[in-house]
Amino acid sequence: MVLMVRILFVSLLIGLVFSDPLPVQDYCVAVTDSETFIPCKNSSLVTIEDFMFYGLNATTEFNDAGLAIVSVNVDTFPGLRTQGVSLARADFAVGGVAVPHVHPRATEVAWVLEGTFLSGFIDSQERVFSKVIQKGDVFLIPRGLVHFHKNVGDIQGSLLGFYNSENAGRSTFQDTIFGCEVKEELLEKYLGLSAEDISKVRGKLNLCGKAEAGFSASPN
C-alpha cells in the first residue's frame, strides 16, 4: 500500500507540469481499434477498465544490453490520452545498460526500485552530470537531454520512470546517427569512418535489416 501511494504521488507531481496540451474535457480514452481516426472513445462506452493497466510487474526477456522494459504510455494504456503522464518499468541484468538516449517530449523522473545504478545526463554545454544511485533514490532528467543508466551492482536492478507526456518518445544516439536514411558520405566526413566501417556498424545494430549474430537493435 505504501508503495502504491508513493507511485500515485509521483505520478500526480510530474503530471502537474504538463508537457502535452492541457485537456479540454475530463478524459479522452484513445480509440485503438478504428481504421478511421477518432480521437476519443464515446464517453457513454467508457468503463472503469479504461482507467486500469495490468502487468507493470510482468517480466520480459532481457535484450542484448541486459535491459527489459514495460512501457505504460498512450499506445499501451489508452486512458492516458490527454492526461499528460506516462511511465515505464525498466529491469536491468547485472551490468545491464540503457544506452544513451533522449525523450524528446518529456522530463523523466527515475525512481530506483531495486539495485545500484550509475545514472546521468549530458546538457547542451556537454557537461556530464552523473551519480551512483540506489534503492529509494530519485533522479531527475531534464526533457530532451541525452541520458543513460547502468546497473553497477551485483544483483538485478529495477527503475520506475515517470514522464510528463502521454508519449515521451525515445531516440538513441546509435539509431539516429547510423540510421539507414542518413547518407554514408555524411557519416564518412563527420565521423571519419569508411563506407565499410559504417556498413559493419549498421549490421551489428540491425538498423538496415542486416543483423549480425549476437547483436540486435537498440534496447526499447
Side-chain angles (χ1 to χ4, degrees):
M1 179 61 71
V2 174
L3 175 62
M4 294 308 298
V5 170
R6 289 177 179 174
I7 292 175
L8 177 60
F9 174 77
V10 175
S11 298
L12 291 174
L13 178 63
I14 196 169
L16 292 176
V17 184
F18 284 94
S19 173
D20 301 340
L22 291 173
V24 294
Q25 58 203 78
D26 292 341
Y27 48 79
C28 172
V29 177
V31 176
T32 60
D33 58 355
S34 174
E35 295 182 359
T36 303
F37 179 74
I38 303 174
C40 305
K41 186 176 182 179
N42 188 316
S43 60
S44 65
L45 301 178
V46 172
T47 71
I48 184 61
E49 291 302 314
D50 290 309
F51 303 103
M52 295 293 300
F53 179 87
Y54 304 96
L56 190 60
N57 288 327
T59 57
T60 58
E61 292 185 4
F62 289 118
N63 61 18
D64 290 346
L67 176 65
I69 295 179
V70 177
S71 296
V72 187
N73 55 41
V74 70
D75 293 328
T76 58
F77 188 5
L80 291 179
R81 174 161 283 176
T82 74
Q83 299 305 311
V85 66
S86 59
L87 64 153
R89 176 188 174 122
D91 296 322
F92 295 75
V94 175
V97 60
V99 298
H101 62 282
V102 301
H103 300 296
R105 295 184 290 275
T107 297
E108 177 180 348
V109 173
W111 177 21
V112 183
L113 297 177
E114 192 68 54
T116 303
F117 293 87
L118 173 64
S119 297
F121 64 85
I122 306 169
D123 72 8
S124 59
Q125 302 301 313
E126 299 183 358
R127 293 185 298 172
V128 178
F129 296 82
S130 65
K131 185 177 178 65
V132 173
I133 56 178
Q134 299 178 321
K135 183 177 180 178
D137 292 342
V138 174
F139 184 63
L140 172 69
I141 301 160
R143 180 171 65 176
L145 295 187
V146 175
H147 59 283
F148 55 87
H149 304 289
K150 181 179 181 180
N151 181 358
V152 294
D154 54 7
I155 63 171
Q156 180 175 310
S158 298
L159 295 174
L160 194 59
F162 299 88
Y163 311 92
N164 60 336
S165 171
E166 66 181 42
N167 192 347
R170 189 176 190 276
S171 177
T172 67
F173 170 82
Q174 60 194 39
D175 290 359
T176 301
I177 296 297
F178 291 100
C180 294
E181 299 301 319
V182 180
K183 299 295 183 181
E184 286 188 357
E185 52 265 32
L186 295 178
L187 295 178
E188 290 174 5
K189 184 173 183 179
Y190 175 62
L191 298 176
L193 298 176
S194 67
E196 182 180 358
D197 291 334
I198 295 169
S199 179
K200 288 181 179 179
V201 172
R202 284 174 167 170
K204 288 182 178 180
L205 297 176
N206 192 21
L207 297 180
C208 304
K210 298 178 181 179
E212 294 186 7
F215 293 87
S216 67
S218 62
N220 289 319

